[in-house]
Amino acid sequence: MQPHSLYRRALKTLGWATLMPCALTFVGWAQAGQYRLMADQSNAVVVAARVQNAEQLCNLEITIQGQASVEREVRAPDFEARIDITPQELESVVVTWRGKSKRVSDDIVNACPTQGRTQFGVVYDNVALRASWLRAFAAMGPAKAECVRTALQLGQVRYEWFDVNDHQSSPEDLKIQRAMGQCDAFLAQKKAWGDDNPKNFACVLSGVKTRCEGFYSATENGKTRPITAEEAIRRQLAKQAWGTGVRETAGAKAVRQKQEQAQKDQLLAQEQAKVKAAVEAREREEQIAREALAAQARERKAKAEAEYARRMQEIERLEQERLEKRSWVLKQLEKLKSDPKADAQSEGKGDGKGDAKGEAKPEEPKPK
């Protein structure tokens, strides 16, 4: 690298570092502005042709200082073209454009009836620009700063490399102005969560105290669906309708459902305990009834057995009385039947009597 180039680079770095914090004051957003290019790196920037006739699609030839020319087809209404610039050993890069027709297959793309020029300053860092934007965002407040950042990102504005105090105009100027104005309108619209923190606040849903979060919504084909804050801002920039709503946070919902499930489990356990107690009570009653029936059966059996024993005793007593009332002869006969020796002795005694007194005469039957 040439010594004079090193000196020029050092001088330029010192100049931007000392001047930029003072220059980028964000006094008004209607000012012009332009990108700064990082030296020796590829930088994506946008140029826009001013086309005032009825063209909807036309072609531009874009000449970049220090690089080869490129062609871009641009469309209404913005007629913007994004190009990549890699500045090398330059303090600034001049870009010019003019209309140039071209043939595509059998069709001709008309040349844009315009020409233009812009200049991009080259820097070696964007520390001062980032610091100025951070101060501007801090002055806006968190809600608006978030909205503006989102709006600029949706418009592909690389604001951390954009100097709003540059005297030139840029197609990004209108995007920045629109972001500021539409974000004011976006924040002014009444939200369902009011002044609460939309990420988490106390609320009552269906009579239940819980924690809620706000969300954005869009209605399409008669159906409302939740959308992100980014999509709501996009719709605001496009002047499309959007709304807001309130819903229970996922954490609160999980805790509530867990508590409700615990209550259901407790009620179920209580109901099961009641059923079990009722079943056990019924089983005890049935057991008592069975035991009572068994006791009655035992009592009847005992009475029957006692009655049977009493009757047997009565029969034995009667038999005993009968036996006792029998004649002596029957007793003797029974005795003889039961004792043969006694029978023989009886016969011997009978023979002795016959010899002494004579045989006894048989008793004659009495006339009837």
Side-chain angles (χ1 to χ4, degrees):
M1 183 178 292
Q2 298 295 330
H4 68 277
S5 298
L6 292 173
Y7 174 77
R8 186 171 64 249
R9 174 174 294 187
L11 181 61
K12 184 163 55 176
T13 302
L14 179 61
W16 279 112
T18 56
L19 294 177
M20 284 303 297
C22 298
L24 196 57
T25 57
F26 293 90
V27 174
W29 288 96
Q31 304 176 40
Q34 188 54 278
Y35 280 114
R36 298 300 175 206
L37 306 180
M38 182 68 177
D40 302 323
Q41 289 188 11
S42 177
N43 299 261
V45 295
V46 60
V47 296
R50 181 168 298 184
V51 178
Q52 297 182 349
N53 64 1
E55 292 286 353
Q56 295 297 307
L57 173 67
C58 58
N59 191 57
L60 287 176
E61 181 184 47
I62 303 172
T63 302
I64 306 170
Q65 183 181 354
Q67 295 181 206
S69 298
V70 296
E71 291 188 25
R72 293 286 189 273
E73 293 181 10
V74 292
R75 295 179 178 274
D78 299 324
F79 296 99
E80 291 183 355
R82 291 192 174 274
I83 57 175
D84 292 323
I85 302 176
T86 305
Q88 296 178 347
E89 300 302 322
L90 297 171
E91 294 183 2
S92 63
V93 175
V94 176
V95 176
T96 60
W97 57 89
R98 65 183 181 85
K100 181 182 179 181
S101 63
K102 73 172 183 178
R103 180 180 293 276
V104 179
S105 298
D106 295 332
D107 296 327
I108 298 293
V109 179
N110 294 333
C112 295
T114 187
Q115 61 182 7
R117 177 187 185 280
T118 192
Q119 185 172 348
F120 299 94
V122 179
V123 296
Y124 292 92
D125 64 62
N126 65 341
V127 174
L129 284 172
R130 289 203 314 271
S132 297
W133 278 95
L134 288 175
R135 286 194 296 272
F137 286 138
M140 295 176 194
K144 184 173 181 178
E146 182 180 0
C147 178
V148 171
R149 281 196 189 94
T150 303
L152 295 180
Q153 290 168 358
L154 290 172
Q156 296 183 314
V157 177
R158 297 188 305 120
Y159 58 85
E160 66 274 14
W161 288 95
F162 194 83
D163 180 5
V164 298
N165 289 330
D166 193 292
H167 67 280
Q168 301 177 95
S169 63
S170 166
E172 309 294 55
D173 297 338
L174 291 177
K175 295 179 183 177
I176 295 174
Q177 294 170 22
R178 183 178 62 174
M180 294 294 294
Q182 291 299 323
C183 280
D184 286 338
F186 182 81
L187 295 175
Q189 184 164 325
K190 188 177 180 180
K191 311 297 190 301
W193 52 87
D195 296 328
D196 290 321
N197 179 2
K199 294 183 179 179
N200 195 315
F201 59 93
C203 64
V204 178
L205 293 179
S206 301
V208 178
K209 292 183 178 180
T210 183
R211 305 294 298 182
C212 287
E213 62 182 357
F215 67 93
Y216 296 93
S217 63
T219 302
E220 296 175 348
N221 299 324
K223 294 183 178 180
T224 300
R225 61 179 178 85
I227 60 174
T228 62
E230 178 180 323
E231 187 172 350
I233 294 171
R234 181 187 291 113
R235 295 179 72 88
Q236 177 70 37
L237 295 173
K239 297 183 179 180
Q240 296 176 339
W242 55 273
T244 59
V246 171
R247 63 190 172 195
E248 191 174 25
T249 63
K253 184 177 181 180
V255 171
R256 179 179 57 77
Q257 289 179 340
K258 185 176 181 180
Q259 292 175 345
E260 290 176 351
Q261 186 61 45
Q263 291 176 353
K264 289 180 181 178
D265 292 343
Q266 183 179 5
L267 292 175
L268 179 60
Q270 291 175 352
E271 187 63 27
Q272 290 176 342
K274 290 180 181 179
V275 172
K276 182 179 179 181
V279 170
E280 291 176 349
R282 185 170 62 251
E283 290 178 348
R284 284 195 300 271
E285 291 176 356
E286 293 175 351
Q287 181 65 26
I288 292 172
R290 287 193 297 270
E291 291 176 355
L293 292 174
Q296 292 174 1
R298 289 193 299 272
E299 184 179 356
R300 288 193 298 270
K301 181 178 179 181
K303 288 181 179 181
E305 291 176 347
E307 179 65 19
Y308 177 77
R310 186 189 65 75
R311 291 175 61 187
M312 293 303 296
Q313 290 176 358
E314 181 67 15
I315 292 172
E316 289 178 0
R317 185 184 64 78
L318 294 175
E319 181 64 18
Q320 185 65 28
E321 289 180 356
R322 184 186 67 81
L323 292 175
E324 290 176 354
K325 291 179 180 180
R326 288 180 303 176
S327 62
W328 181 85
V329 176
L330 292 175
K331 290 181 180 179
Q332 292 301 318
L333 289 174
E334 289 179 356
K335 184 177 180 181
L336 291 174
K337 289 179 181 179
S338 61
D339 189 357
K341 292 180 179 182
D343 188 20
Q345 292 176 0
S346 176
E347 289 179 356
K349 290 180 181 181
D351 290 342
K353 290 181 180 181
D355 292 338
K357 295 181 180 181
E359 292 181 1
K361 295 181 180 181
E363 195 175 275
E364 295 180 0
K366 295 179 180 182
K368 294 181 181 180

